Amino acid sequence: MEKILMFKKENSIKIGGTTPIAPLLLLGALVLLFAIASPAAADPYLGGVPLITANGTYGTVTGDLWFDAYPGFDQAYPDPVHWETTLPCDPDDIVWARLYVDTYIGHMENNYPQNVTTEFNGSGSSYETLGSESMNTEYKFYLAGTGGAGSGPVWITNHSNRVTSDFLIWYDVTDNITSSTVSTNVSVTNLIGEAPFESRVKAIVLVVAYNNQSCNVTHYWVAQGHDTDSYKTDGIFSPYTGGFPHPYKGNTTFNTSVVYTPGEANLTVLPLASFNGNYTFNSDDDQLPWANPGQGEYFQWQSWNVTTNVTSGNDSYMTYDRNATDSGTYSGYFKIPLALLTVEDKSLIYDFSNETLGRAGICMFAYKKEASGLPPSVSNDPDDEFSGTEYDEIKYDDGVFAEHYTDTYEKRAAHRFVFNVSCCNDLSNFDSINVTWNGAGWHDAGGNSNGAYLYIWNGTGYEELDNCDGDGNENYLTGGITNNLGNYIINNNVTVLAEQKTEDDDYHSHIATDYVKLWLKKV
């Protein structure tokens, strides 16, 4: 009998399991995204690409988000600028990695053509050319002279742009890294391979998100743009704009509301400026303190612990602005391409993806097909383990289902899940065990024979957490345990069962799982 998913997919909400973000958006969509950016969203005189995580990435890891940088300002002709760094992780644990290169053009508006070639050695033995990007364009401010309109940011490719005097390029290198020591060579020439007007490299930055199977889950955000701010518009009276001031303060939002129980949080900014800017985080007035870092002539970074600024259930935002007087004292110009945020989730979250605690088939298991009784009287029924393909089907809440049906009389279709929660060695730190299952249970007889039940094993038998009795469509079944948590953790394992309601009576019983998650919430 062919297995067919016999239910209508309802509107669903994402309640766990981070779907991996593609290293680059679809090329056309990305170009369009920036092409339609409103001038009001950037410095109203110079223009710029605002910082947003859609340009960078968001995800979860059991490790951390790490970066290292070459701060410049060396010539990349005739010899390339060389930079080497050592990763804090095994290459196999890298989830996301992006390399950024910024070169100086020599003028905010004039066209001084550059060809920037980036070679990357992620294997520890040989270099590969990531790209050779050619910039051959002038830059037009949004407001020129007394108000004439300019184009602002210039997109050279889908992974490089010009904003005023900087040529910013980036490459996704997740799959290029097979060694813990990596190095980069950057060469800058004119378009015929000779000495350019300028060949200085302001910065090379490598950002890496990685797992290390520690007992914590970290949410990370990389907000990427190429935003800038200038004294030319911030003044009370500005001859550059015909006398009308256009003050600008940039901002970016991080969806920290996805963090169940926020723990330690860290914010890092990496500006391309000779003098640092002013920043706030989840506040319109309280400026984050800093001492001018000065790692490079026109590049620097600054980090803060912002744990007390992140609150459960709320998104976060950062503002950034040049640190200057109206006349341009301190920083006349300020530019920022990157802001990084990490927030630890103090809850221990387990699912079958690679972004939470545990690993499918190693310390977390799923078993399939059919079971006796509603619920079974033993904790190891069914006992036929999922295949690798079936594990992939339950990694994310994405509409991809692992489906099975009965072929034994008087049995019911069932999926059993075993989560090793050895990280929670001190149960006094937790106040609940919570389960979410997204799937469907239905019977060929239909009607009242449809439905599924969700159970948790308490050491002597199964307890019901939730059900969708009589409903064969996709449903979210959830439940939690708040008392005597130790009764539900047997040999470091928590066992959960999703079972279809009605036994096989020559009409088959079906179960389908899209996603399942268990998490222990900390006090």
Side-chain angles (χ1 to χ4, degrees):
M1 177 179 177
E2 182 180 3
K3 294 187 288 184
I4 303 175
L5 203 55
M6 298 289 293
F7 61 91
K8 179 178 69 176
K9 183 169 176 63
E10 305 292 338
N11 292 332
S12 59
I13 57 173
K14 192 85 169 181
I15 50 179
T18 305
T19 303
I21 298 176
L24 285 176
L25 299 174
L26 292 173
L27 303 189
L30 182 59
V31 172
L32 177 61
L33 173 67
F34 292 114
I36 62 176
S38 167
D43 185 290
Y45 183 84
L46 297 181
V49 180
L51 297 183
I52 56 174
T53 54
N55 299 346
T57 191
Y58 158 72
T60 58
V61 288
T62 59
D64 206 350
L65 183 69
W66 170 92
F67 80 96
D68 195 10
Y70 157 86
F73 194 50
D74 292 332
Q75 300 284 349
Y77 179 89
D79 298 319
V81 166
H82 175 80
W83 175 64
E84 184 174 298
T85 188
T86 300
L87 305 179
C89 61
D90 187 284
D92 291 339
D93 290 330
I94 294 175
V95 173
W96 183 89
R98 185 170 286 181
L99 182 74
Y100 297 86
V101 175
D102 186 87
T103 63
Y104 179 56
I105 295 168
H107 196 273
M108 294 180 70
E109 300 173 84
N110 292 353
N111 180 19
Y112 295 128
Q114 286 187 349
N115 191 77
V116 180
T117 300
T118 303
E119 297 178 310
F120 186 72
N121 182 350
S123 66
S125 59
S126 60
Y127 283 88
E128 57 182 312
T129 300
L130 297 179
S132 188
E133 319 299 340
S134 295
M135 190 285 303
N136 186 19
T137 179
E138 60 185 4
Y139 186 89
K140 293 290 188 182
F141 298 158
Y142 276 146
L143 297 176
T146 58
S151 59
V154 179
W155 283 87
I156 311 302
T157 68
N158 70 303
H159 58 275
S160 63
N161 57 46
R162 175 181 180 175
V163 173
T164 63
S165 58
D166 285 285
F167 187 18
L168 180 65
I169 305 163
W170 59 94
Y171 301 99
D172 287 283
V173 293
T174 308
D175 297 330
N176 303 76
I177 301 176
T178 58
S179 170
S180 293
T181 299
V182 300
S183 52
T184 304
N185 289 331
V186 177
S187 301
V188 182
T189 67
N190 64 16
L191 300 186
I192 59 173
E194 297 177 352
F197 179 80
E198 259 297 351
S199 67
R200 283 181 285 187
V201 176
K202 277 190 176 181
I204 305 171
V205 182
L206 179 62
V207 184
V208 175
Y210 64 93
N211 291 313
N212 64 10
Q213 282 306 286
S214 62
C215 287
N216 70 284
V217 172
T218 296
H219 296 252
Y220 67 91
W221 293 262
V222 177
Q224 179 181 324
H226 196 173
D227 212 358
T228 188
D229 190 16
S230 167
Y231 73 90
K232 290 190 174 185
T233 55
D234 282 354
I236 296 174
F237 178 87
S238 175
Y240 300 98
T241 59
F244 298 99
H246 293 275
Y248 175 65
K249 179 182 286 188
N251 67 83
T252 187
T253 300
F254 305 94
N255 63 321
T256 52
S257 59
V258 300
V259 184
Y260 290 98
T261 310
E264 182 176 335
N266 291 283
L267 175 69
T268 299
V269 294
L270 296 94
L272 290 163
S274 59
F275 201 80
N276 206 356
N278 287 335
Y279 311 89
T280 68
F281 187 76
N282 287 340
S283 170
D284 292 328
D285 302 311
D286 295 333
Q287 180 180 321
L288 294 172
W290 56 265
N292 201 43
Q295 286 93 347
E297 291 185 60
Y298 293 96
F299 175 71
Q300 51 199 283
W301 58 85
Q302 180 80 45
S303 297
W304 299 271
N305 184 306
V306 291
T307 303
T308 58
N309 302 72
V310 178
T311 55
S312 180
N314 294 312
D315 287 341
S316 297
Y317 69 95
M318 180 190 81
T319 69
Y320 49 93
D321 197 6
R322 70 186 185 96
N323 187 322
T325 65
D326 291 339
S327 62
T329 306
Y330 306 125
S331 177
Y333 296 96
F334 172 73
K335 184 178 288 186
I336 182 169
L338 288 170
L340 315 177
L341 177 67
T342 59
V343 181
E344 176 194 3
D345 198 328
K346 293 174 64 178
S347 298
L348 298 186
I349 303 170
Y350 301 82
D351 64 17
F352 288 88
S353 72
N354 291 332
E355 286 80 46
T356 66
L357 298 171
R359 287 295 176 268
I362 298 176
C363 54
M364 296 193 306
F365 301 91
Y367 301 93
K368 62 190 175 184
K369 202 164 185 180
E370 55 190 14
S372 301
L374 183 70
S377 59
V378 293
S379 64
N380 61 349
D381 186 19
D383 61 359
D384 184 6
E385 188 180 354
F386 273 38
S387 68
T389 298
E390 290 164 338
Y391 275 128
D392 287 341
E393 291 169 340
I394 64 172
K395 279 185 175 182
Y396 305 107
D397 187 0
D398 58 1
V400 178
F401 293 80
E403 180 206 341
H404 298 94
Y405 64 99
T406 55
D407 56 15
T408 304
Y409 192 69
E410 294 185 342
K411 289 202 171 185
R412 297 167 175 83
H415 285 164
R416 182 170 65 94
F417 310 100
V418 178
F419 300 89
N420 184 290
V421 294
S422 55
C423 284
C424 58
N425 50 22
D426 183 0
L427 289 177
S428 65
N429 289 332
F430 299 91
D431 58 5
S432 64
I433 298 173
N434 304 271
V435 181
T436 293
W437 178 79
N438 178 25
W442 71 99
H443 195 270
D444 288 345
N448 194 48
S449 295
N450 290 331
Y453 283 70
L454 181 67
Y455 299 101
I456 187 170
W457 184 260
N458 66 11
T460 59
Y462 278 111
E463 292 182 19
E464 181 184 331
L465 295 175
D466 200 1
N467 73 77
C468 54
D469 195 345
D471 185 351
N473 292 318
E474 177 188 2
N475 281 275
Y476 287 96
L477 302 185
T478 63
I481 302 296
T482 57
N483 297 313
N484 302 315
L485 302 187
N487 293 345
Y488 302 85
I489 303 176
I490 295 90
N491 296 324
N492 290 324
N493 292 326
V494 175
T495 299
V496 173
L497 180 76
E499 187 174 14
Q500 205 277 316
K501 170 188 175 183
T502 307
E503 65 184 26
D504 186 303
D505 56 1
D506 292 332
Y507 289 95
H508 297 303
S509 169
H510 301 254
I511 194 78
T513 296
D514 181 1
Y515 177 70
V516 61
K517 173 181 64 181
L518 179 140
W519 74 101
L520 286 82
K521 290 186 178 180
K522 291 190 177 183
V523 176

